[in-house]
Amino acid sequence: MEPLIIDTREPFEYAASHVEGSINISPSEFMQGGVPEKLCDVPKDQQIILYCRSGQRSNTCSMILRQYGFTNLVNGVNEGRVRALLKQL
């Protein structure tokens, strides 16, 4: 199964550049309480790679997902690192 890639930056940052195939879920969507709507049907054990600009927002969002039972989370840190990681898979 392909990993789900989540860009945790703001929509304007995502619009400027993002990893192909990624979805955009901003930090505010993670902090509204509950699992973000775009992730409601995602299996808790599916590999999810999160990234932002520096790794801070993606780390925070992965901690929130962990609280909701997601188990296969990777902080990809930033766009460049995620692209390199995907080449290895």
Side-chain angles (χ1 to χ4, degrees):
M1 179 181 286
E2 292 285 318
L4 174 62
I5 305 164
I6 302 175
D7 183 323
T8 62
R9 299 175 300 162
E10 296 300 325
F12 74 91
E13 294 171 288
Y14 181 82
S17 176
H18 59 271
V19 172
E20 187 176 333
S22 66
I23 63 171
N24 182 224
I25 305 176
S26 68
S28 62
E29 291 178 71
F30 281 95
M31 294 179 194
Q32 289 178 358
V35 175
E37 187 176 324
K38 294 175 185 173
L39 300 179
C40 286
D41 295 328
V42 174
K44 302 280 186 180
D45 62 346
Q46 180 172 347
Q47 184 178 39
I48 300 175
I49 301 171
L50 300 98
Y51 75 93
C52 58
R53 184 177 47 81
S54 68
Q56 183 66 35
R57 289 177 280 185
S58 54
N59 185 56
T60 299
C61 294
S62 67
M63 288 189 298
I64 291 169
L65 288 179
R66 206 167 262 112
Q67 291 175 346
Y68 289 105
F70 288 87
T71 58
N72 195 355
L73 303 168
V74 176
N75 185 356
V77 182
N78 61 41
E79 210 174 319
R81 288 188 183 188
V82 171
R83 285 194 175 106
L85 177 65
L86 292 175
K87 287 181 182 178
Q88 296 172 9
L89 298 179

